[in-house]
Amino acid sequence: MEDDTIDLADEQQDWSFLDAISGTKTTSPHDNNQSLPKRGEKDFEQDDTDYQQKVLQSSLDAMYGALGGERRHNAKNHVRAVWFDELQKAQVDVARGPHFKTIGTSDSQGKVWLYPEETIYLLERGSMELFWPNGVQISLQGAYAVCAGKMGEDGIDKIHTYSHLKRAGFVVQRAYQQSPPSVSVSRDRPLGSSSFSLFSYSWIYRFNVHNIPFLWTHPRQLIFGVYNDRDQIYRDLQLVQAYRHGGPRMSLETAAENPFKVTYFVWKPRAADFKKSSPPPPDFKIVVVNTERQNMPTLEQTEQLFEEAVRRHENGDVLDQRHIMQKLKFGKREIILAMLDYGVINFVTLADVSFASNPLYEDKPKPRRNNGKTRGGAKKRGGKR
Amino acid sequence: MIQIKRINDKYLVFKVEDIRFLRQEHLIGGTLIGTLPQIPQQNVFCGLPLQLFKEEVIFLMKNGIAEVVDDSASHVTALTSQTPEDIENYEKQRHTAQQLQIKEYTEGMLERRRQALEKKGMSGKIDKEVVVATDNAISYVTDATTTNETLEGYNMFSKENVLSDLLEHVTSAQYYIFNFLHSRGYFLSPGLRFGGNFLAYPGDSVRYHSHYIAIGKEYEEKFPIKSVIVGGGRLGTNVKKCLVLGGENDEGGDSVYCIEWSGFG
Amino acid sequence: MAEQIRTNLVHQHLWSDVVIHQTKLTDLVHGTPPRTLHPDDAEIRSEWLVPARSNDDWTIKQWDECFREAEGVAGKDVDRMLMAIVDNDSTIVYYFVYKGLVKPRKN
Amino acid sequence: MKKQNLNALYPHPYPYVVDVVPPVIHNPISVLYFLCRWIFAGNTSPEYTAEYVDGVVRAVGDAREGLWKMGFFGKGILSRSEPSWDIRTKRRLGLHVEEGVYAPEEVTQFRREQRQHFKAERAKAEEEELKRRQDIDRGLAVADKNEDDKPVRPEFDRDAFLAKSYEMEKRTEDDEVVDSLGNLVDIEFLQLMDVEALFLHMAFGLKVGDMDVKAMVDEFTRKDPRFLTYYAVYHHYRSLGWCVRSGIKFGADFLLYKKGPPFTHAEFCIKVMPKDEPMPDFWWQSNLCRVIGGVKKTTVFCFVDVPKVEGVVDDAKLVEVLKQFKVREVVYRRWIPSRNRD
C-alpha cells in the first residue's frame, strides 16, 4: 500500500547497502558521492539455507564495519572546542566551516558557544574535537557522560531528537534561545454561546412551529415548518458550543505546570540565508516527550502549547487555505511532538482545527469558471469507505 | 561481562565488539542513536552509541551478561584524578600518533600521485607536481574517539560505580512478553511506532521483517476492545504483522494470543 | 447478541450449521463458513465465535475462559476462535484469536 | 456513477424537504402563497417511523429507503452500508434481478478475488526462489538473480467471477428466507445507531416506537453511560453538514463523510475524548493514528467538556443540555521529517 505514513526509518534496513562506504577507509571526508541506496528486500523468515546465512552475515559485517568507522579531521578545517562543565557549554576555538552558520551562539568577544546537543552532534559527525580545559581529549562516550549527564532525565532524548533533525537537514535551535516567549493568555471569557435563539433572523424566512406550540399539534421537533433556505436548518441545529478559531480556550482552569514544553525551534533546510543571530519565525516547534512517564497531553496542555504554536502561512506555507478540507486537516496552528521510545523517534503533529469555523454546509460548488476542473483538494485517492 | 553505561535513566553501549556480542550471542539489538561519521546526513542508518531498552537491560543483568555503570560519575572521577604527568603523557601519545598519521597520509598521496603521472607518461614532471599537490592536502586522522578507555584508570573507576542490583526485581507485563518472545528466539525492538510495546523479528532485524506487534498485559488488566483488538488487529493486517497480546496467568503459565483480522465482516 | 451474530453469519456471510451454545460464562456461536477463511487453511473448517460489544473492555483471562468453554463443548482442543465484535450500527467485525504464536500471513 | 447522477439521486441531506418560495418582500402574491405553504407545513416532508426491538432501532419499508437516501442514516444489517441483501440474495438464488446492477459488497468481492490471484502468483514465485537458493547451496545454480519473474496482476472478468462465486449450492438455511411461492422474503432492516435515532427524533420528528426523548435518553444511557457525550458529538457534526457514521472498522468512534458513502470515502475519523477522563498513553494514540493514516484519513480527537446533567432529560431539557456541551477538535497526524523539508 502506498501511503503517506511509510518511512524508510520505520524499520531496520539492510546494512549491506553500506558496503560501498564502510569499505572505503581512504576516502576523504569531503567526498560527496556517499548517497543512500534504495530500500532493500528483507526475508520473511529463516529458511535454513547457507545462502541466507551468508547474506545475513555480510549485512552484519557491513554494520560493524560502518560503526567502527573513524572520525577523520582535515587539518585545514579542523575545529577544536573546550567543554566548560560549570557552564554546561563548549567554547569553540576557531569556528570554521559551514556548520557554524546555523549552530552555536556568539558572545560579545565573538566566541562561539555550543549547547550539549550541538557539541555532541558535531563530535559524532566527525566535524569537531572536544577537550577538557586541562587538555585531556573527551571521547564520544565521555561527551555523552558529561554533556547529557546534567541535562535532566530526558537529556539523551533531547540530544537524539536534535541530531535526528540535523541529520535530516533541518536547522535546529533550542527554543527561546534568544528571548523567552511572552505568552498572553485570555481565559476570562467563556466560549461564545451558539446562535440558537428564536428571533435572531428574519421571521419571514422561518416559521418554526416548535417555538409556537399553540398553533399546531405536531410532535415537538427542532426542524419543522417552512424553511426556504437549507443552511437555516443547519444553523438551527447548532446547539453544542464549539471552539472557533480566534475564540477563547475551552479549558479555563488555572493551569498547572505543563510537562509539555517546546524544546526546539526548527527551520526547513531551504534557509540558505538563515541568520542564527536573528532567525525568522521557525517553521516547526518540537516538544520532546517522554512516552514512558507521560500520557497524551490533555486538552488543557494542548491548548497551552497551541498558544505558542507555529501559525501556518507565517512562513509562506504553500498549503492552499482556500479549501475547507485543507483547513480542517492542517488547521491554523501546529505543534510537533517527538515521542521517544528508547532510541526510536516518532513524530506527531497536533493541529489546531475548528470544524465550527469552517462549516461544511457553506462549502458549495462555485459556478464553474475553470472549465469543469474539479475543485478543491478532494483528489481521487484510494481508501476505505 | 560487558558494561552498560547509564546516563540519567538511559542505558548505552559504546563498543562495536559489545554490540556484536549482544546481537549475535544474545539476540539483543538495541537501537543505534548516533550519527555515522561516514554518512552523517541521513537517519536510515545510525551510528554509536547503542541505546538499550529497559527490558533488554533487565534480561542482561538477570542473566549475568552485563552490569550497569554510572558513566557520568565514573567519567568525572577518572578525569579529576589525572595527574599532570598523565596529561603530559597523553598529549605526547596523541602528538606521536598524529605525526604518524600525517606521514602515512603524505606518503600515500605522494605514491598515488607518482603512479598517476607515470601512467600518463609524465614521469619527468613528477617532483615538481607532487610537491604542489601535497602541500595543501595535509590531513590527519584521529581514532574513532568513541570510548573513555583512553583515560588513565577509567575502568577501575567505572567498576566502583556498578549498579548491578538496580533492576533485579523488576517484573511487569511488558517484561513478561519481552521474555516470552526473546526466549523463543525472537529479536525485539521498541514498538511505539506501531502502537505496541515491541516489534518481534523471527531473526536478526537487519535481515527479516518483523512478524509481531507485541503488547504485554496483566492477566486481569482491562483493555478497550475497540482500540486494542479492532485497532491493533487492523493495524497488524495493514502492516502485515500479527498482534500478540499476552500475560502470565494465575498458575504462572503463559496466556498468549495472536490477533488477526479475519478478512470478512 | 449471539442471535444477531447468527443472522449475520447465515445471511450476510452465508455460513451453514450455525448454532448458539449457552455456557456458564457466555454464549458461544459455532458454524461453518462457505469457503476457507484463512489462506493457510487446507480445507474449510468449522469455527467457534465469541460475541463481544465494541464499547466493552476485555482481558487476557477472558480469552482463557472462552477457549476453555469452547473446548468443553467441543470435547477437543480448539486452537483458534473468532471474536465477533458487534457495534451499535449493526456492523460486526470478526477477528481471529489464536492460542499461542502463529506466523502472520505472508501476503 | 457520475457525480451529477448521484446528486440527482440523493438531493436531500436530511429527511426534510426544503420549500423554495420566492422572497416575500418583493412580491405581494407570494405572501399568500407563503402563508398557504406554512399552514400546510410539514406535509412535504416525510414522516417516518422506526421500531425499537431487542435493544436496536430498526427501520423497514419506506423509512428504510427514505432514511438511507435522505442523509445516509443507518446501515442495512446484512450489508456494508445501504441495504442490498435483497439484490445479492436474489442473484445468488437465481431469482430475477436487474442486469448490470451490482451491490457494493459484490464489487469488493471482485477486488478481493483479484488480489488473491495475485498473491497466489507471488507465493509461487517465492517458492521458486527458495528452491533456487537451495540449488545454490548444493552448487546446482549460480547466484545471480533474475528480476523479471515478478508476478503480474491478472485480468479479471466480473461476470465470470460472479457466476463462479454463486455456484454454491442452496443451503437449508436459505429456506428461512424463501416463501412458499418461491419469492424472497426481504429480512433486512435498516439499523439506526442510538445517536442517529435520537437525532432524527429530536430534529426531524422520527417516531421511534412510542418512545419520547426521555425514554430514549434513559434507555440509551442505560446501555452506554456515555451516550449523551457521544450524542453531543454526533449532533455537532451533523449540524455542520457532515454525514456521520460509525468508525468501528478503524477502531474510531465516528467517520465523517462529505456527503455520504456513495459519493466519496470518509475524510475524518473522530475519536471522542471526554475532557475530564484520564488521557490514554502514547501507544494507544500511535496505534490509532497508524490505522487511520493507513487508510488515508485524518484522525480528529474531539475533546468534550461534559456538563453535569441533573434530573430527567426530556423534550424541553435536551436542547438546554446540548447547549451546555462544549467541543474542541485537535488533529493528530504522523509527521515524517523527510517529507517536510520543503
Side-chain angles (χ1 to χ4, degrees), chain A residues 67-122:
Chain A
L67 293 181
E70 291 172 329
R71 297 186 164 73
R72 291 183 227 105
H73 304 267
N74 185 302
K76 231 175 80 182
N77 295 328
H78 187 217
V79 176
R80 295 166 57 102
V82 176
W83 178 255
F84 291 92
D85 205 42
E86 61 281 15
L87 299 174
Q88 287 292 297
K89 278 187 175 181
Q91 191 194 47
V92 183
D93 272 3
V94 183
R96 272 185 294 224
H99 291 300
F100 296 103
K101 264 188 82 174
T102 55
I103 297 178
T105 36
S106 309
D107 63 15
S108 49
Q109 272 95 51
K111 282 283 183 198
V112 173
W113 291 85
L114 302 174
Y115 283 113
E117 58 271 31
E118 296 171 326
T119 311
I120 286 188
Y121 170 71
L122 288 173

Side-chain angles (χ1 to χ4, degrees), chain A residues 1-7 10 41 43 47 49-52 164-165 168 170 191 196 204-205 207 209 215-216 218 220-230 233-234 237-243 249-251 253 260 268-269 284 286 289 291-292 294-299 302-303 306 325 328-330 333 336-337 339 341 347-356 359-361 363 368 381-385, chain D residues 4 11-14 16 18-21 23-25 34 37-39 41-42 47 130 132-134 136-137 143 145 150 199 201-205 232 235-242 250 256-258 261-262 264-265 267-268 273 275 279-285 290 293-298 300-301 303-305 315-316 319 322-337 339-342:
Chain A
M1 193 186 312
E2 184 61 40
D3 91 48
D4 297 347
T5 61
I6 285 179
D7 182 2
D10 259 5
E41 280 183 18
D43 288 348
D47 58 16
T49 61
D50 293 344
Y51 174 89
Q52 192 183 44
H164 187 96
L165 292 166
F170 293 93
L191 270 173
F196 181 78
I204 202 90
Y205 285 106
F207 292 83
V209 177
L215 275 179
W216 203 260
H218 194 275
R220 293 163 71 93
Q221 68 189 62
L222 210 54
I223 305 305
F224 183 69
V226 179
Y227 282 79
N228 69 348
D229 173 10
R230 191 177 276 167
I233 296 182
Y234 294 112
L237 284 172
Q238 280 167 39
L239 302 173
V240 177
Q241 298 179 52
Y243 166 80
R249 284 172 30 173
M250 202 172 100
S251 51
E253 295 89 350
F260 298 94
K268 292 178 180 180
F284 308 104
I286 309 263
V289 170
T291 50
E292 192 70 17
Q294 287 162 333
N295 280 345
M296 284 174 66
T298 61
L299 177 66
T302 306
E303 289 196 318
F306 279 152
M325 287 303 164
L328 293 177
K329 286 176 183 173
F330 296 94
R333 301 180 286 186
I336 293 166
L337 305 185
M339 307 177 293
D341 181 25
F347 293 100
V348 67
T349 302
L350 274 61
D352 175 20
V353 302
S354 166
F355 281 66
L360 180 69
Y361 64 84
D363 179 51
R368 294 193 177 188
R381 292 178 311 177
K384 295 273 150 69
R385 289 205 176 165
Chain D
Q4 284 82 347
H12 302 291
Y14 287 123
Y16 180 90
V18 174
D19 267 318
V20 180
V21 289
V24 189
I25 334 118
F34 193 90
R37 296 294 303 120
W38 180 53
I39 288 161
E47 285 181 34
L130 175 62
R132 196 185 63 88
R133 286 180 182 190
Q134 286 161 344
I136 295 169
D137 280 5
K145 194 172 173 186
K150 295 243 159 89
F199 176 75
H201 173 75
M202 75 93 72
F204 298 101
H235 188 107
H236 167 62
Y237 291 111
R238 273 286 179 186
S239 77
L240 292 168
W242 292 93
F250 309 111
L256 300 189
Y257 289 79
K258 243 181 127 165
T264 50
H265 295 297
E267 301 275 353
F268 297 95
M273 311 285 281
K275 190 171 143 279
M279 292 298 291
D281 59 32
F282 282 101
W283 277 261
W284 177 92
Q285 178 269 127
R290 269 261 176 192
V295 288
K296 312 266 189 210
K297 305 190 195 309
T298 302
V300 179
F301 287 106
F303 288 93
V304 187
D305 193 350
D315 239 1
V319 168
L322 281 176
K323 284 179 177 179
Q324 290 171 44
F325 273 93
K326 297 174 188 168
V327 298
R328 171 165 190 172
E329 294 102 356
V330 176
V331 159
Y332 269 66
R333 176 190 296 104
R334 281 191 82 208
W335 187 76
I336 298 171
R339 299 194 181 205
N340 285 279
R341 274 197 285 244
D342 36 47

Side-chain angles (χ1 to χ4, degrees), chain A residues 9 14 73 78 137 139 345, chain B residues 8 90 140 145 147-148 193 207:
Chain A
D14 188 339
H73 304 267
H78 187 217
Q137 191 182 4
S139 66
I345 305 189
Chain B
N8 296 331
Y90 166 77
Y140 65 82
T145 57
T147 65
N148 283 345
R193 194 168 257 172
R207 266 317 296 169

Side-chain angles (χ1 to χ4, degrees), chain D residues 119-245:
Chain D
K119 286 175 178 175
E121 292 290 308
R122 191 166 55 185
K124 231 187 280 166
E126 276 172 359
E127 221 163 273
E128 279 164 21
E129 169 68 9
L130 175 62
K131 205 174 149 281
R132 196 185 63 88
R133 286 180 182 190
Q134 286 161 344
D135 286 350
I136 295 169
D137 280 5
R138 289 191 223 107
L140 296 174
V142 276
D144 77 316
K145 194 172 173 186
N146 181 9
E147 291 290 342
D148 300 334
D149 48 10
K150 295 243 159 89
V152 215
R153 221 164 261 260
E155 288 294 319
F156 199 75
D157 182 346
R158 282 188 176 193
D159 292 332
F161 164 70
L162 264 192
K164 195 180 124 225
S165 115
Y166 288 147
E167 256 170 25
M168 202 178 100
E169 292 204 0
K170 194 165 162 262
R171 307 161 306 155
T172 47
E173 282 84 351
D174 293 326
D175 295 339
E176 291 174 20
V177 292
V178 179
D179 66 15
S180 53
L181 299 170
N183 294 322
L184 184 68
V185 183
D186 192 352
I187 58 163
E188 184 170 31
F189 58 83
L190 189 80
Q191 181 169 328
L192 297 174
M193 293 189 282
D194 294 348
V195 288
E196 289 176 310
L198 179 60
F199 176 75
L200 288 168
H201 173 75
M202 75 93 72
F204 298 101
L206 172 78
K207 292 193 194 100
V208 181
D210 54 2
M211 294 169 100
D212 58 7
V213 167
K214 181 184 172 299
M216 288 167 93
V217 171
D218 285 353
E219 168 63 8
F220 298 157
T221 305
R222 185 187 61 76
K223 284 194 290 178
D224 179 357
R226 291 192 292 192
F227 169 76
L228 269 181
T229 305
Y230 284 86
Y231 180 73
V233 172
Y234 179 87
H235 188 107
H236 167 62
Y237 291 111
R238 273 286 179 186
S239 77
L240 292 168
W242 292 93
C243 169
V244 190
R245 302 182 56 81

